[in-house]
Amino acid sequence: IFMEKIYNNSEKQESQDHTLATNLKRIRLEKWFTQKSLSEISDVKYTVITKIEIWAIREPSVYTCLKIAKALWISVEELIWEI
């Protein structure tokens, strides 16, 4: 039972991580931002944005998410959760 709980929690975490990557790319493209322009406006490194989108960074800091959300004119919740 313990291992099942760990597995279920890791699946949930992976789903949330993937949601962040998917939401970031979708919203960025809807607002006609390139990764580079979003990087410049949000003051988040270009490499960080690209790595979040390809799921290489699975848990960016809250501060990073806040800066990206602010640049996109959305809430952090819209960025990280499945809506």
Side-chain angles (χ1 to χ4, degrees):
I1 294 173
F2 178 72
M3 290 305 291
E4 186 176 314
K5 286 182 179 180
I6 291 173
Y7 179 75
N8 288 339
N9 284 340
S10 69
E11 272 188 347
K12 185 177 180 182
Q13 182 63 44
E14 285 184 16
S15 174
Q16 289 171 354
D17 295 338
H18 190 66
T19 300
L20 170 61
T22 303
N23 284 351
L24 174 55
K25 186 171 186 175
R26 177 182 51 79
I27 295 167
R28 177 180 62 78
L29 293 173
E30 284 174 359
K31 297 188 179 250
W32 295 89
F33 281 102
T34 63
Q35 290 172 331
K36 183 162 178 54
S37 63
L38 179 58
S39 167
E40 292 167 356
I41 291 170
S42 67
D43 196 33
V44 173
K45 289 183 179 181
Y46 168 81
T47 55
V48 171
I49 291 173
T50 58
K51 286 179 180 181
I52 293 170
E53 287 190 4
I54 65 168
W55 210 26
I57 295 178
R58 294 184 178 199
E59 294 183 18
S61 71
V62 173
Y63 186 62
T64 297
C65 291
L66 182 62
K67 289 176 18 175
I68 292 170
K70 186 176 178 182
L72 292 171
W73 289 76
I74 61 171
S75 68
V76 174
E77 291 82 5
E78 288 176 273
L79 183 62
I80 64 174
W81 297 108
E82 196 169 345
I83 298 178

